[in-house]
Amino acid sequence: MRKNILFVCALLFISKIAHSKEVDNGQYIEVGALEASLTFGYGGIENPIHGAEDIVSFVLPHLAYYGENWYFDDFSLGYSVSQNRSFYFDVVGTFNEDGFFFELDGIDKLFAINGLRDLNRPGRPPVIPDYLTPIERSISYQAGFAFGYANRGVGIELTTLHDISSVHNGSENKLVVYYANTLFGGQFLGEAGATHKSNELIEYYYRIRPSESVSRIVNSSLGGSAINYHLKLEYRYPINEHFSFMLRISNTWIDKDLSNTPMFGADQYLSGFSGITFEF
Amino acid sequence: MLLEHFVALLFIPTAVLGPSLEVTPHTCIYEGKVPKCEMNVKVTASAPGNSSLCILIELPEFVPRCFNESKLSTNYHITLESTVNVILTNESGNILVQKKLVLGKLNPKNYRVRRRFGWGV
């Protein structure tokens, strides 16, 4: 998948088409307008879990609505306690991404993301001895606060979230810095971020239970929290009122202490999507 | 032949074209909660075949302003609290043509910063 995304990335930039249509930088969204789109193309998530298949999709839906205070943006839900043109302080909720590596059966139907996914669970041995249980983890939903500042294409956002679905009772803190601007007649976004995951979250998702492995080594604790880093690039080039080219690519570097554990087969993972977006 | 045709068009008597009335600008935009707006407007009119023309703006403070010509151009300073008509009449008071002076509310689109914390592909 990595090759495919990089290929499309290169293709789009090599074949960039000059045009003079004015576009905004995508940093803002109109209040009261429903933003709904379907992107047809190719993309997904490299699954860093040992032995797990990548998650691949050919369709990427998007739905967002920002009212005066309430908003939803795909899986995220929020209410702005305080905001102006640049600052905001929100009460928010969103899914934790770690759960998606293990369990996509519910969500993938909504997001049509299971096109080529292997039916085996991550980490499950090819032949399961009677005393072993398959590795199963649930998706968790988190809620907390988001504080952000945005001005002239530059933005910073700090989010602190806690599990409210009683899946792991852990927390996650995310810091994102981004730059949005117009480029070659399209919208460009560059984003860098760090995500701190609490010990409870790490233990739940990535510690292999005694019943899940024949090895006794994996029974030990993972030893604390973890910080993942990511870089994300996004480019959207409008073709006309309803159609646009879209390329989104993100790479996440997993905390070394975490990626060195038996659950992981890689120390980083790529995700992204490229295709043609139809906006309703 | 073709050239003569187009040149001849330039000499079509204006009487054939009928009365005209132009009001510029024709829209006044107010900001805030009170629907009130002030502006200067220029009214230009012509009605070939009429010896005098009158302009009536449907506002209480305006009385008809009449001109002993078949063409006129005049300026007004108006205060709009609603959309009103500007009416061109002949000497008999018959309405020849009328245009609207529109009162509009400034309603700029409101924008919010797009949030980034959500997870997705």
Side-chain angles (χ1 to χ4, degrees):
Chain A
M1 189 182 73
R2 184 184 293 253
K3 284 180 186 172
N4 284 315
I5 291 176
L6 291 175
F7 172 73
V8 175
C9 175
L11 200 66
L12 274 176
F13 278 94
I14 289 168
S15 63
K16 81 175 171 61
I17 310 158
H19 78 146
S20 59
K21 186 181 176 183
E22 292 229 351
V23 293
D24 65 273
N25 64 13
Q27 190 174 26
Y28 296 93
I29 184 168
E30 186 183 339
V31 172
L34 183 67
E35 192 178 75
S37 67
L38 281 175
T39 301
F40 299 93
Y42 180 80
I45 311 164
E46 278 188 332
N47 200 329
I49 304 302
H50 184 73
E53 294 292 320
D54 292 344
I55 302 152
V56 175
S57 176
F58 301 101
V59 183
L60 183 67
H62 166 66
L63 193 64
Y65 178 84
Y66 286 69
E68 292 292 336
N69 292 303
W70 288 99
Y71 62 87
F72 65 84
D73 196 329
D74 290 334
F75 293 130
S76 305
L77 181 67
Y79 178 82
S80 296
V81 177
S82 177
Q83 64 174 331
N84 61 27
R85 180 78 177 170
S86 299
F87 288 97
Y88 55 87
F89 177 66
D90 300 348
V91 178
V92 299
T94 190
F95 281 106
N96 156 267
E97 73 175 303
D98 301 87
F100 286 90
F101 295 137
F102 299 88
E103 185 62 70
L104 280 166
D105 291 348
I107 301 304
D108 59 354
K109 288 185 175 60
L110 175 63
F111 267 35
I113 204 168
N114 63 339
L116 299 177
R117 188 175 186 275
D118 187 21
L119 291 175
N120 290 331
R121 282 286 173 272
R124 175 187 286 181
V127 178
I128 306 172
D130 289 343
Y131 62 90
L132 285 185
T133 57
I135 294 174
E136 289 180 341
R137 303 290 185 269
S138 301
I139 293 171
S140 59
Y141 200 82
Q142 307 174 127
F145 302 99
F147 175 78
Y149 171 77
N151 191 24
R152 297 184 182 182
V154 177
I156 183 167
E157 189 179 73
L158 176 65
T159 314
T160 179
L161 299 161
H162 188 81
D163 175 30
I164 57 166
S165 52
S166 298
V167 170
H168 52 75
N169 294 315
S171 60
E172 196 172 65
N173 304 297
K174 191 171 183 179
L175 178 66
V176 166
V177 179
Y178 67 91
Y179 174 69
N181 207 343
T182 55
L183 180 69
F184 303 133
Q187 296 173 338
F188 166 81
L189 173 82
E191 177 186 300
T195 305
H196 170 267
K197 295 172 189 290
S198 73
N199 182 51
E200 293 86 353
L201 187 154
I202 296 298
E203 287 286 319
Y204 172 76
Y205 282 114
Y206 301 117
R207 187 171 70 82
I208 299 176
R209 284 42 157 182
S211 63
E212 293 171 338
S213 172
V214 292
S215 169
R216 295 178 183 219
I217 300 171
V218 296
N219 193 16
S220 60
S221 169
L222 297 178
S225 60
I227 299 178
N228 292 354
Y229 299 92
H230 76 267
L231 276 179
K232 183 177 179 182
L233 297 173
E234 188 174 325
Y235 186 71
R236 187 178 297 278
Y237 184 89
I239 301 168
N240 58 35
E241 187 183 352
H242 290 291
F243 287 94
S244 59
F245 288 114
M246 187 275 263
L247 171 68
R248 181 184 297 156
I249 187 165
S250 174
N251 199 71
T252 301
W253 289 267
I254 302 162
D255 192 307
K256 285 289 179 195
D257 291 339
L258 187 58
S259 63
N260 286 336
T261 59
M263 185 72 94
F264 282 86
D267 60 358
Q268 57 182 286
Y269 62 93
L270 188 73
S271 65
F273 205 91
S274 62
I276 292 180
T277 300
F278 174 73
E279 291 179 44
F280 295 95
Chain B
M1 183 73 176
L2 199 60
L3 179 64
E4 291 169 356
H5 168 75
F6 287 111
V7 170
L9 288 176
L10 298 174
F11 294 97
I12 292 175
T14 52
V16 177
L17 300 176
S20 70
L21 173 65
E22 293 296 329
V23 182
T24 54
H26 53 70
T27 303
C28 193
I29 303 294
Y30 72 93
E31 193 175 3
K33 293 181 179 177
V34 182
K36 191 173 184 179
C37 182
E38 285 187 45
M39 68 173 179
N40 293 313
V41 295
K42 182 180 182 181
V43 177
T44 308
S46 70
N50 291 277
S51 57
S52 69
L53 298 172
C54 295
I55 293 292
L56 169 65
I57 298 178
E58 288 182 326
L59 288 170
E61 64 269 31
F62 285 98
V63 293
R65 190 183 290 182
C66 294
F67 302 81
N68 292 320
E69 295 176 84
S70 61
K71 283 185 178 177
L72 66 90
S73 180
T74 185
N75 295 299
Y76 292 90
H77 180 79
I78 60 166
T79 301
L80 285 180
E81 294 180 0
S82 63
T83 295
V84 299
N85 288 314
V86 179
I87 301 167
L88 177 69
T89 63
N90 60 14
E91 61 272 22
S92 306
N94 298 321
I95 296 175
L96 300 175
V97 61
Q98 64 180 22
K99 291 282 176 71
K100 285 192 184 301
L101 260 176
V102 178
L103 178 69
K105 185 180 189 314
L106 181 64
N107 194 16
K109 287 181 178 176
N110 194 12
Y111 289 89
R112 295 178 67 184
V113 178
R114 192 186 293 274
R115 282 20 173 196
R116 300 283 168 190
F117 63 87
W119 179 82
V121 174

